[in-house]
Amino acid sequence: MSPRHKVEAMTDQAPAAEPDTADIPGRPTSASRTTLSHIMTHNDTNLLGTVHGGVIMKLVDDAAGAVAGRHSGGPAVTASMDEMAFLEPVRVGDLVHVKAQVNWTGRTSMEVGVRVLAERWNESTPPTQVGSAYLVFAAVDADGKPRRVPQVLPETEKDRRRYQEAQIRRTHRLARRRAIMELREKRAAEGLDD
């Protein structure tokens, strides 16, 4: 299988496989929603003395992976992360809360939305949003092959808005990937293989 087809298979663009005989019942958004909390220490800092972005990204991936696994009822792997936004610096002593939920599902993939909040560990002030991200996970079987996932069932108006926005992001991801692959194929055909 070519690298292009592997990526497409992980993001619901593979040719239709044999239809499953049993339908998988949908699952509500709240069934897999998760919050991961962690106190930031000196071990988490960058050269500027604030928490390293990579530490936050790992927490984001961990929380999103837990949500994807819970929603799909088994293993799920990160296919992509996009729109990771760092809104405010996180400091040593901050209690970070990473809130994640499934926003949208395809045949084998799920978009998980993540909000990152921080508050001082020893103060009673409300948490501040310090980051957000969107990740796409593919559910896999024991052989690492994509498997079907339950449809997500948005429960609230906010869930429905997130579902619609996720569909827009998916359209943009696929269009961007298609345009890049077409450019690479054109350059290769012209003998401009990089």
Side-chain angles (χ1 to χ4, degrees), residues 1 4 16 23 38 49 54 61 76 82 86 96 98 105 107 109 117-118 138 145 155 157 160 163 169-170 176 193:
M1 182 182 274
R4 178 180 180 183
D23 282 348
H38 188 79
D61 191 44
D82 60 39
F86 296 99
V96 172
V98 184
T105 51
R107 188 176 66 239
S109 66
L117 307 165
K145 299 205 181 328
E155 299 171 280
E157 204 47 53
R160 284 184 276 284
Y163 185 91
R169 282 188 293 275
R170 179 176 185 271
R176 181 179 62 231
D193 202 16

Side-chain angles (χ1 to χ4, degrees), residues 33-158:
R33 191 175 285 140
T34 298
T35 300
L36 172 70
S37 297
H38 188 79
I39 294 177
M40 298 291 106
T41 69
H42 288 285
N43 294 332
D44 302 316
T45 60
N46 59 28
L47 296 175
L48 299 175
T50 56
V51 173
H52 195 287
V55 170
I56 301 299
M57 290 173 75
K58 179 168 183 344
L59 293 173
V60 164
D61 191 44
D62 287 347
V67 166
R70 289 174 80 175
H71 181 83
S72 68
V77 296
T78 310
S80 70
M81 174 189 266
D82 60 39
E83 297 188 37
M84 179 73 211
F86 296 99
L87 306 173
E88 298 282 338
V90 177
R91 303 171 292 159
V92 169
D94 281 352
L95 177 58
V96 172
H97 308 286
V98 184
K99 297 177 175 285
Q101 75 171 49
V102 174
N103 290 336
W104 176 89
T105 51
R107 188 176 66 239
T108 62
S109 66
M110 303 154 275
E111 184 196 87
V112 179
V114 180
R115 286 182 35 220
V116 183
L117 307 165
E119 62 182 314
R120 295 307 292 168
W121 70 274
N122 59 350
E123 297 175 8
S124 60
T125 55
T128 301
Q129 184 170 352
V130 295
S132 65
Y134 299 100
L135 298 88
V136 176
F137 279 80
V140 294
D141 63 18
D143 298 322
K145 299 205 181 328
R147 63 181 173 80
R148 286 190 54 202
V149 298
Q151 178 183 3
V152 67
L153 305 174
E155 299 171 280
T156 67
E157 204 47 53
K158 193 179 281 188

